[in-house]
Amino acid sequence: MATKMTMPQLGESVTEGTISRWLVGPGDTVQKYEPIAEVLTDKVSAEIPSSYTGTIEQLLVDENETVAVGVDICTIVEEASSEAEESNKEIKTEQKPNPPAKEQTKAEPSQKSRYSPAVVRLAQEHGLDLTTISGSGRGGRITRKDVEAYIAGNHTPEPQQPPAQAKQQEPVRSTPSQAIAAHDQEIPVTGVRKAIAENMVKSKMEVPHAWTMVEVDVTNLVKLRDKKKAAFKEQEGISLTYFPFFMKACVEALKEFPEINAQWNGTTIVRKKDINLSLAVATEDALYVPVIHQADELTIKGLAKKADELAKKARTGKLTGADMQGGTFTLNNTGSFGSILSQPIINSPQAAILSVESIVKRPVVRETEEGDVIAIRHMVNLCLSLDHRVLDGLVCGRFLASMKRRLEQMNEDSTSIY
């Protein structure tokens, strides 16, 4: 008898996952703990291991389909039960028709009317009535392949149906079909991009964003880093970038102003005791936000090594659920790709997010004993987005002033990397 495998929970707050790629197919033999599928959630990209040793009987979920935690995703005929199944073959043959028929009757109404965006788009573009198409998916659900097969078979829908169906499904599309030209490329929205979109829209819709910025003279910091980077690379095996210095100034300012290290909780504001620094890490096609836990307990060297480790895991698809959980404040290194000004979207439910922009040389007026002079200095903008339900301009201004002071005072005499 086949055993069902369900979508596992890949994190404490994860409620669903997207099967991005099946690593096995029906008839394949798998060992217990062998990866059978790649899954994407809003927290992590991971592989699902098989819970049993046996043979894959059926895949119940299509690739790029999102299902809730606990939903059946495949069936496996366990190796240990194969002999028992063979000996009871006649009994199983007699009993098998009834339960599937009952299950199918129960699942049919809820599954057949569930259409993915790709199915809806195809139906609208070709003027099809989806109720006239037979589905081959689980519970009779119509898949994209079903629609493509219907189109390839030159089936013609009844003339009165397409307008009503298209009008009913139109809200699903974000742009009208006539806006897509023949030479345009449509890129499917897969798991990570879908999760990013949903989280960003939710944050902008629910959180009243406010924004503020300060500019910082980091000339002495640039000199410090330039003097130390060669020896650091030789000793530690990784590059010493500017970012760990900003991380250090940030966590020290968060300790000084714990109001910033907080979350909105509906009827209360939760001020977090731990300072867990979320870092925005971009890959070619996605954005991940892994977390450095207890970041205030690390040196500049420790922050550099931990950030490098998480960035490598993100770019190789090896982040775990634990790597993504528990962040209390987000730091975004937009300066790494040349940005000098940005307005980041808050990583809800956190209360704020800070973007460190690119360090650039600019002429700056400096006060001296002889009077004001114009000097070439290394300047950087720090851009803070804040949740105005939790924070106001006064405390945020003081927080940024603290960071500015700490960064401008960093030099070889005052700052220890180790």
Side-chain angles (χ1 to χ4, degrees), residues 73-381:
I73 59 173
C74 70
T75 57
I76 301 176
V77 179
E78 293 184 68
E79 186 177 272
S81 64
S82 59
E83 293 183 5
E85 286 195 21
E86 186 65 27
S87 63
N88 292 315
K89 185 175 181 181
E90 291 185 4
I91 298 175
K92 285 170 58 180
T93 303
E94 292 175 0
Q95 295 178 344
K96 189 175 182 180
N98 289 333
K102 181 179 179 181
E103 180 182 323
Q104 180 71 11
T105 301
K106 181 179 179 181
E108 185 72 20
S110 61
Q111 295 292 332
K112 184 170 175 58
S113 60
R114 288 179 58 202
Y115 307 132
S116 69
V119 167
V120 172
R121 182 177 67 249
L122 277 176
Q124 291 174 347
E125 291 174 353
H126 294 273
L128 302 179
D129 180 1
L130 289 171
T131 62
T132 66
I133 300 176
S134 299
S136 62
R138 185 185 178 199
R141 186 176 184 183
I142 297 171
T143 67
R144 179 173 182 148
K145 292 180 181 179
D146 295 329
V147 180
E148 291 173 342
Y150 189 92
I151 295 168
N154 296 319
H155 294 281
T156 304
E158 296 188 14
Q160 291 83 2
Q161 294 298 326
Q165 183 67 17
K167 183 176 181 181
Q168 179 185 357
Q169 297 292 344
E170 188 65 28
V172 176
R173 292 189 59 85
S174 58
T175 55
S177 58
Q178 58 265 30
I180 302 173
H183 55 272
D184 292 341
Q185 180 186 10
E186 283 196 272
I187 301 171
V189 179
T190 54
V192 171
R193 179 52 53 187
K194 178 183 176 184
I196 293 171
E198 291 175 348
N199 289 343
M200 294 300 97
V201 170
K202 181 179 179 182
S203 180
K204 287 295 287 185
M205 291 292 289
E206 296 182 358
V207 178
H209 281 59
W211 181 82
T212 186
M213 184 199 82
V214 297
E215 59 177 7
V216 184
D217 184 342
V218 289
T219 304
N220 290 333
L221 168 56
V222 170
K223 293 177 181 178
L224 169 63
R225 181 254 180 181
D226 286 346
K227 188 169 184 177
K228 299 291 185 179
K229 63 181 182 181
F232 188 88
K233 175 75 172 181
E234 183 178 351
Q235 293 175 20
E236 307 301 333
I238 62 172
S239 298
L240 178 62
T241 67
Y242 293 115
F243 199 48
F245 295 92
F246 288 97
M247 294 163 66
K248 187 63 176 176
C250 180
V251 296
E252 289 179 348
L254 287 172
K255 290 176 70 174
E256 184 179 355
F257 295 96
E259 302 96 318
I260 308 292
N261 196 51
Q263 296 180 358
W264 178 256
N265 194 38
T267 58
T268 62
I269 293 172
V270 180
R271 192 171 294 176
K272 307 297 287 186
K273 182 178 180 181
D274 293 335
I275 297 178
N276 298 334
L277 203 58
S278 300
L279 305 179
V281 179
T283 63
E284 290 297 325
D285 57 356
L287 179 70
Y288 297 93
V289 192
V291 179
I292 298 179
H293 296 89
Q294 285 79 48
D296 55 313
E297 298 178 4
L298 298 176
T299 62
I300 291 174
K301 167 194 165 182
L303 290 167
K305 293 181 80 69
K306 190 62 179 178
D308 182 75
E309 173 193 333
L310 290 173
K312 287 177 179 177
K313 291 177 75 172
R315 290 163 186 152
T316 55
K318 295 180 180 179
L319 286 173
T320 66
D323 291 327
M324 306 288 284
Q325 295 169 9
T328 61
F329 183 90
T330 298
L331 201 58
N332 192 10
N333 188 19
T334 45
S336 63
F337 47 84
S339 171
I340 59 169
L341 196 66
S342 64
Q343 289 183 303
I345 298 176
I346 295 168
N347 184 18
S348 182
Q350 295 174 17
I353 178 173
L354 180 71
S355 283
V356 177
E357 305 297 334
S358 182
I359 298 174
V360 295
K361 284 185 178 180
R362 290 197 289 107
V364 177
V365 176
R366 303 279 292 178
E367 293 183 359
T368 68
E369 294 181 356
E370 291 77 21
D372 292 343
V373 298
I374 296 177
I376 303 300
R377 308 292 291 180
H378 289 86
M379 305 297 294
V380 64
N381 294 326

